[in-house]
Amino acid sequence: MRFKKIFFIAAFCVASLAVAAQQSFTMDLYSGRPTVKGTDKNDTARVYVYLPDASRSTGRAVLILPGGAYEWLSMENEGSGFAEYFNNLGIAAVVLKYRMPHGKPLVPISDAEEAMRLIRRSAQQWHINPSDVGVLGSSAGGHLAATLSTLAKEDARPNFQILFYPLLTMMPENTHKGAHDSFLGKKAKKKDERLYSPMLQVNRHTPRALIFFGEKDDLVPTWNGTDYYLELYRHDVPASIFIYPGVGHGFGSTKNGAVNMSKFADMRSWLQSF
């Protein structure tokens, strides 16, 4: 009995150390009212924080913005599914459940900006370098990530961007209609469509970028990525783009298959290049 008791205590201590080593917790994004009021009072912005073992932390962090055409959020495949990968690299991962716009673009934009500020405010507590905080976005979340990268002020602008099959234009002749209408409304103004087309807003302050696309994407055409890449190149912003053959939309954090193994290897190499 004595041996069993000692074994149980030892096992409990090991489990407790493992939990302490890799922390994860959830918190509301705002302690009070959001700076921008949404249309749905039951839609609350939250962050899901995944911190690596402090002894392995590189000080780098990534804000993750899931996609879903600005109508819903792919919280697992394009959100928490990336957390373990980043934590294994010593990188903190913060997944944002942002509010839906319902035609008010500043609602999700303000959530993403506040999440960036939250990460930087928590830098000391979370063992993060506030000058090494990037953003990862997929599909509509990629649009939000690129919008943050091209329009946000310095305190909310990421230091690097990783975009998975991102929607990068709101111009009606080329955009995804569902995402456009959800983000800007069906009667959007031309100036807003242009303002929120990241490929038209690239400047010399835009952070370096890594772009992933599938060759057979039938929801967001691959040229969204190539046009954005060319604008980054034109403005002397370091950028890399990978277009995988035989792949469609929505591959996100999926780990099975040769292409997905390549995706994670390519992302790791890029992250280690700066």
Side-chain angles (χ1 to χ4, degrees), residues 103-152:
K104 294 181 64 176
L106 290 180
V107 172
I109 290 174
S110 63
D111 288 351
E113 290 178 337
E114 180 60 22
M116 288 295 297
R117 295 187 186 105
L118 171 65
I119 294 170
R120 287 177 170 140
R121 286 198 304 268
S122 306
Q124 185 174 1
Q125 181 183 356
W126 295 352
H127 305 285
I128 288 169
N129 176 358
S131 297
D132 197 7
V133 182
V135 64
L136 182 154
S138 304
S139 195
H143 173 264
L144 185 55
T147 298
L148 204 64
S149 298
T150 53
L151 297 181

Side-chain angles (χ1 to χ4, degrees), residues 9-267:
I9 292 172
F12 177 79
C13 290
V14 169
S16 298
L17 286 171
V19 171
Q22 196 166 9
Q23 300 179 55
S24 62
F25 53 91
T26 305
M27 58 187 291
D28 288 341
L29 179 61
Y30 300 99
S31 57
R33 292 184 179 180
T35 52
V36 177
K37 185 178 180 181
T39 58
D40 182 356
K41 64 180 181 180
N42 295 316
D43 190 6
T44 303
R46 291 190 177 90
V47 289
Y48 299 80
V49 183
Y50 302 86
L51 303 178
D53 182 341
S55 65
R56 295 184 57 200
S57 176
T58 62
R60 180 168 282 176
V62 177
L63 172 65
I64 301 173
L65 307 176
Y70 286 119
E71 296 177 0
W72 60 284
L73 292 177
S74 177
M75 290 296 293
E76 184 173 346
N77 182 45
E78 296 173 352
S80 60
F82 286 107
E84 182 181 4
Y85 167 80
F86 284 119
N87 281 181
N88 286 338
L89 296 179
I91 299 171
V94 180
V95 182
L96 173 64
K97 177 201 164 294
Y98 54 89
R99 294 171 296 157
M100 296 298 97
H102 302 294
K104 294 181 64 176
L106 290 180
V107 172
I109 290 174
S110 63
D111 288 351
E113 290 178 337
E114 180 60 22
M116 288 295 297
R117 295 187 186 105
L118 171 65
I119 294 170
R120 287 177 170 140
R121 286 198 304 268
S122 306
Q124 185 174 1
Q125 181 183 356
W126 295 352
H127 305 285
I128 288 169
N129 176 358
S131 297
D132 197 7
V133 182
V135 64
L136 182 154
S138 304
S139 195
H143 173 264
L144 185 55
T147 298
L148 204 64
S149 298
T150 53
L151 297 181
K153 294 181 179 179
E154 189 173 356
D155 65 335
R157 188 189 309 136
N159 300 106
F160 59 90
Q161 52 180 320
I162 302 172
L163 308 177
F164 280 80
Y165 38 87
L167 177 65
L168 294 168
T169 179
M170 282 288 157
M171 302 307 290
E173 63 272 16
N174 293 318
T175 193
H176 182 284
K177 188 177 187 303
H180 170 281
D181 292 353
S182 295
F183 188 67
L184 293 174
K186 294 181 179 180
K187 297 181 179 180
K189 296 179 180 179
K190 290 291 183 183
K191 66 175 184 178
D192 289 334
E193 289 173 335
R194 184 174 181 83
L195 176 64
Y196 296 118
S197 292
M199 66 173 62
L200 301 178
Q201 301 300 329
V202 174
N203 57 69
R204 64 186 182 88
H205 299 296
T206 303
R208 68 177 66 230
L210 173 63
I211 307 163
F212 291 109
F213 258 99
E215 180 190 28
K216 293 188 175 182
D217 196 324
D218 57 358
L219 290 180
V220 180
T222 305
W223 59 257
N224 276 260
T226 56
D227 284 9
Y228 191 61
Y229 170 83
L230 290 172
E231 282 301 303
L232 293 165
Y233 180 82
R234 194 167 70 84
H235 287 83
D236 296 321
V237 176
S240 298
I241 183 168
F242 293 88
I243 302 173
Y244 297 116
V247 178
H249 193 79
F251 51 90
S253 65
T254 306
K255 296 178 177 62
N256 298 325
V259 166
N260 289 304
M261 290 175 64
S262 296
K263 165 192 69 186
F264 284 115
D266 292 335
M267 187 156 51

